[in-house]
Amino acid sequence: MNEKILIVDDEKEIADLLEVYLKNDGYTVYKFYNGTDALHCVETQTLDLAILDVMLPDIDGFRICQKIRERYYYPIIMLTAKVEDSDKIMGLTIGADDYITKPFNPLEVVARVKTQLRRYVRYNHAAGGSEGTEPDTEYDIRGLTINRSNHKCVLYGEEISLTPIEFSILYYLCEHRGKVISSEELFEAVWKEKYLDNNNTVMAHIGRLREKLHEPTKKPKFIKTVWGVGYTIE
């Protein structure tokens, strides 16, 4: 195992507790109580996953998430004491992969960490390619090309950087081109978890995808919303 995990939380008890649980599972942990030191770690260490508290004394978790996403695509889990959907959507929109509300069971955090790392490893394995992998599976839709074999997405000749989850969402929609996919189906296909009512995770990631594809808000060319039903690529 020995994956390297960044923990940033100004509540010392929470950060220390997560450190103990993650180290017990064999992870290497870099723990900080402020954003400044955490950003220095991001710049100097090779990390596999980050756990970021939203509210920090100097730099908030959203800003750290944005800085990470400028260069890296490893999973990011946000922690917050707030329960507002707007905060969750904000985190997911700027590139977070998961969101956990305090108080929480540390075993749940460890489980989420394992899930995100498994997904990330699968993504990198597919991107790197290996003997015995399936042949190229590529879709080309009006200038948008997405290839599962090399995990590349190209829009009008320019490669678009997608996180593993963003890639999976877009690929699933392309794979089912012409069919309207509900948020429930999309969530369960990509996250491999049971969909819960009022789950805005899919909507947040669709918004992020549209932004990266330079989609106009009112008349998107690629990912279209069928109100009350779901999403489709025609």
Side-chain angles (χ1 to χ4, degrees):
M1 189 177 290
N2 202 35
E3 286 97 337
K4 297 178 180 179
I5 311 295
L6 171 67
I7 299 174
V8 192
D9 198 314
D10 63 335
E11 294 185 65
K12 187 176 183 297
E13 297 79 5
I14 291 178
D16 293 351
L17 184 64
L18 288 177
E19 179 185 31
V20 169
Y21 274 81
L22 288 168
K23 281 188 172 181
N24 284 344
D25 262 57
Y27 297 106
T28 298
V29 174
Y30 296 90
K31 177 187 64 179
F32 301 96
Y33 306 126
N34 64 77
T36 302
D37 291 341
L39 280 177
H40 179 71
C41 179
V42 168
E43 295 168 357
T44 57
Q45 299 293 333
T46 301
L47 301 171
D48 297 292
L49 183 143
I51 301 174
L52 311 177
D53 185 26
V54 170
M55 302 300 293
L56 294 168
D58 49 355
I59 305 171
D60 67 47
F62 293 139
R63 180 58 180 158
I64 298 174
C65 180
Q66 287 177 312
K67 293 297 291 183
I68 291 174
R69 282 292 174 256
E70 288 175 3
R71 296 177 58 188
Y72 306 108
Y73 293 96
Y74 51 76
I76 297 175
I77 299 175
M78 305 295 294
L79 302 178
T80 182
K82 296 183 178 181
V83 296
E84 287 87 350
D85 280 346
S86 59
D87 287 324
K88 183 174 182 179
I89 292 172
M90 172 67 173
L92 295 172
T93 299
I94 61 176
D97 297 279
D98 204 352
Y99 210 94
I100 300 176
T101 303
K102 300 177 182 178
F104 51 75
N105 184 328
L107 290 174
E108 177 189 358
V109 179
V110 174
R112 300 278 191 98
V113 166
K114 291 179 179 179
T115 297
Q116 292 297 332
L117 286 173
R118 281 197 300 269
R119 182 178 293 125
Y120 185 58
V121 168
R122 285 199 303 268
Y123 172 82
N124 283 335
H125 175 75
S130 63
E131 292 184 6
T133 55
E134 56 191 299
D136 289 1
T137 304
E138 182 175 282
Y139 294 96
D140 189 342
I141 302 174
R142 301 186 304 280
L144 172 66
T145 302
I146 186 166
N147 188 303
R148 183 168 60 188
S149 179
N150 58 24
H151 274 249
K152 285 187 178 181
C153 178
V154 177
L155 179 63
Y156 305 135
E158 178 184 353
E159 186 171 347
I160 305 297
S161 296
L162 301 179
T163 66
I165 285 181
E166 290 166 352
F167 184 95
S168 296
I169 290 173
L170 184 57
Y171 189 88
Y172 193 85
L173 289 173
C174 289
E175 190 176 27
H176 296 82
R177 180 179 179 181
K179 177 183 176 183
V180 180
I181 307 298
S182 68
S183 293
E184 178 179 359
E185 178 182 343
L186 197 52
F187 183 87
E188 294 183 357
V190 172
W191 277 265
K192 310 299 182 185
E193 298 175 7
K194 184 66 177 175
Y195 180 85
L196 301 176
D197 290 340
N198 301 318
N199 189 329
N200 292 308
T201 302
V202 172
M203 181 178 69
H205 281 283
I206 290 291
R208 178 70 171 170
L209 267 171
R210 283 173 170 161
E211 180 182 333
K212 289 186 175 183
L213 295 175
H214 311 297
E215 292 265 61
T217 304
K218 293 185 178 180
K219 290 186 177 181
K221 181 177 180 180
F222 298 107
I223 305 175
K224 299 183 179 181
T225 300
V226 179
W227 295 108
V229 184
Y231 304 96
T232 186
I233 288 183
E234 299 175 345

